[in-house]
Amino acid sequence: MAKDSLAQIDHSHVEEAYARWAPFYDAVFAAVMKPGRLAAAAAASGAGRRVLDVGVGTGLELPMFTRQTRLVGVDLSEPMLRIAQKRVAEAGLQNVEGLVRGDAMNLSFPDAAFDCAVAPYVLTVVPDPHATLDEIARVVRPGGQIVLVNHIGAESGPIAWVETAMGKASARLGWRPEFPWAVLGDWIDRRPDIALAERRKLAPLGLFTLARLERL
Ligand SMILES: C[S@@+](CC[C@H](N)C(=O)[O-])C[C@H]1O[C@@H](n2cnc3c(N)ncnc32)[C@H](O)[C@@H]1O
C-alpha cells in the first residue's frame, strides 16, 4: 500500500481528537504502549546527547531517558503539552530543555540541531508521514539517529481488512490503524542519506515495531 492510499488526516482533526483524549490519554495508553516508549528512550539515551521528542504528547516517555540526555519535546496539541509540562515539573526533570507547540511537518529548529530524534506512536497520526520524516531528518545531525515506534498494519488477510475498515474512522480516532511498513520503507529507499539500522517487534504481542534509522 502506497503512502497516497492512506486514510486522510488533517491537523484540525488531530487537534480535536487529542483535545478529547488528553484527560484520559494516560489512563488508556500508558501501560499498553510502555514497552515502545522504553525501547525508544533506551535507543536514544546517551551522555550529553540532545534528543528531540516529536509528538511528545503527555510526556509519558520523558522520565524514561537518562538524566544526562537533554530533551526537547514538540507537539501540536496544547492540552497534551500541558499535561507533559505538569509531569516534568512534578518529576523534577531538569534535563528537559523545553516543551513547545509545533508541527512535526514544519519544525522550528535549525538543521542538524539534535543528535537524535524519537517519535513514538506519531507517524500514524500525521497528515503526511514522508513530509514529517523529511523534517525530522533535517533537524538530526549527520551521524545521528531517528527512532520510530509505530503499529505497522497487516499487509493482507482479515486483520488488514479490519484495519482498513477502521481507517475510515481515522479522523475521529486521531490515528490510522492501517499503516504498512512500505510507507517507511519507500521513504528510506528514496533517501540516500538514511539507512535502516534496526527493525524489531515489541511487546505486547509484537503489536508495535521499533525502527532505528541512521542519518549518514
Ligand atoms: C499517539 S500520541 C503519542 C504521544 C507520545 N509520544 C506517547 O508515546 O504517548 C500522538 C501525539 O502526536 C501529536 N501530533 C499529531 N500530529 C502532530 C504534528 N503534525 N506535529 C506534532 N505533533 C503531532 C498528537 O497531538 C499526540 O500528542
Side-chain angles (χ1 to χ4, degrees), residues 9-11 14-15 17-19 25-26 29-30 33-34 36-37 53-61 74-78 80-81 100-107 118-128 132 174-175:
I9 286 183
D10 69 43
H11 280 165
V14 170
E15 288 196 72
Y18 282 96
Y25 185 87
D26 290 1
F29 297 112
M33 295 176 355
K34 186 173 177 182
R37 295 187 190 100
D53 189 331
V54 181
V56 63
T58 63
L60 284 166
E61 58 264 27
V74 61
D75 201 285
L76 200 58
S77 166
E78 277 293 353
M80 296 288 274
L81 276 174
V100 292
R101 184 169 183 279
D103 179 3
M105 300 195 309
N106 185 20
L107 293 167
V118 296
Y121 311 110
V122 174
L123 280 189
T124 46
V125 309
V126 289
D128 186 338
T132 303
W175 71 82

Side-chain angles (χ1 to χ4, degrees), residues 162-180:
V162 172
E163 287 175 344
T164 305
M166 284 175 73
K168 308 223 182 307
S170 297
R172 283 191 62 75
L173 284 171
W175 71 82
R176 299 183 187 88
E178 92 297 10
F179 188 87

Side-chain angles (χ1 to χ4, degrees), residues 194-207:
I194 300 288
L196 177 65
E198 188 182 0
R199 173 184 175 179
R200 70 183 144 101
K201 291 198 176 226
L202 301 168
L205 304 170
L207 204 56

Side-chain angles (χ1 to χ4, degrees), residues 40-130:
S45 285
R49 272 190 146 191
R50 188 159 189 252
V51 175
L52 177 66
D53 189 331
V54 181
V56 63
T58 63
L60 284 166
E61 58 264 27
L62 294 174
M64 298 173 181
F65 293 84
T66 63
R67 294 295 182 272
Q68 290 76 38
T69 307
R70 291 175 296 138
L71 295 165
V72 175
V74 61
D75 201 285
L76 200 58
S77 166
E78 277 293 353
M80 296 288 274
L81 276 174
R82 275 198 291 275
I83 297 173
Q85 272 147 2
K86 191 159 172 263
R87 185 184 313 282
V88 167
E90 285 175 0
L93 299 178
Q94 289 173 0
N95 56 318
V96 177
E97 289 181 0
L99 295 172
V100 292
R101 184 169 183 279
D103 179 3
M105 300 195 309
N106 185 20
L107 293 167
S108 58
F109 308 105
D111 294 358
F114 297 92
D115 299 300
C116 181
V118 296
Y121 311 110
V122 174
L123 280 189
T124 46
V125 309
V126 289
D128 186 338
H130 284 186

